[in-house]
Amino acid sequence: MFGEEPRLQLLAVSDAAPQPRQAQLVALDKAMFEAQVAAGDDKIAWLVLGHHTLAELEPRARERVLRFVDKRPELLAYLSAHTHYADERSHKLPSGRRFRELVTGSTTDYGGPGAPQSGRIVELRSDPATGKAGIASYRLELD
């Protein structure tokens, strides 16, 4: 499995227009494969980054992304930001596995006059007994 300290890698889905293409997922799969080969016996845990939330993706694109994630249990969560409010969502994948989506308010603005700055800490964790990797997420609001 992942051992005591799994390595974390980030994958970015380019979704400025909410419809990631199959070619992007093929490129991500290739990048994941090459990183794992380079890591040797060390397992890698992945966090997927995308601008739009999964709900905002066009239906066919969302289905492609969820199928992609479902086949790769080393993908721990999807981090998005487009909505300008923080949220945590759980998605049931076709296999029945649950997949977390972490929505951060925004990665570029401060919420406007009178609104607090916000952010999110995402922590990679590993169970030493099982080697299973997971994440913990905390929302921050600054006055």
Side-chain angles (χ1 to χ4, degrees):
M1 293 305 278
F2 288 94
E4 289 188 29
E5 294 184 20
R7 293 175 47 185
L8 179 65
Q9 295 282 345
L10 304 176
L11 288 175
V13 175
S14 176
D15 63 353
Q19 52 184 3
R21 304 272 187 235
Q22 184 64 30
Q24 291 175 312
L25 298 178
V26 169
L28 293 176
D29 193 45
K30 181 180 178 196
M32 289 176 70
F33 174 78
E34 291 172 352
Q36 188 59 67
V37 168
D41 290 337
D42 293 337
K43 296 295 183 190
I44 300 174
W46 297 87
L47 178 64
V48 182
L49 309 175
H51 177 77
H52 290 92
T53 66
L54 291 172
E56 293 173 311
L57 298 179
E58 293 181 358
R60 290 180 64 203
R62 180 175 47 254
E63 185 179 316
R64 274 195 303 271
V65 169
L66 291 176
R67 278 196 319 264
F68 179 84
V69 167
D70 201 17
K71 294 178 183 176
R72 293 157 185 86
E74 65 275 24
L75 293 172
L76 302 181
Y78 179 82
L79 179 66
S80 61
H82 180 73
T83 61
H84 297 270
Y85 63 87
D87 195 8
E88 292 192 26
R89 302 169 184 179
S90 178
H91 300 277
K92 186 174 181 181
L93 299 173
S95 68
R97 178 168 74 100
R98 302 301 300 184
F99 183 70
R100 287 180 67 187
E101 178 177 8
L102 308 171
V103 183
T104 189
S106 175
T107 58
T108 60
D109 69 19
Y110 303 102
Q117 285 183 277
S118 66
R120 185 173 289 276
I121 294 174
V122 178
E123 180 182 341
L124 176 63
R125 295 184 173 181
S126 178
D127 181 339
T130 65
K132 185 173 178 169
I135 60 167
S137 175
Y138 310 94
R139 190 175 72 164
L140 303 173
E141 287 192 9
L142 307 173
D143 293 332

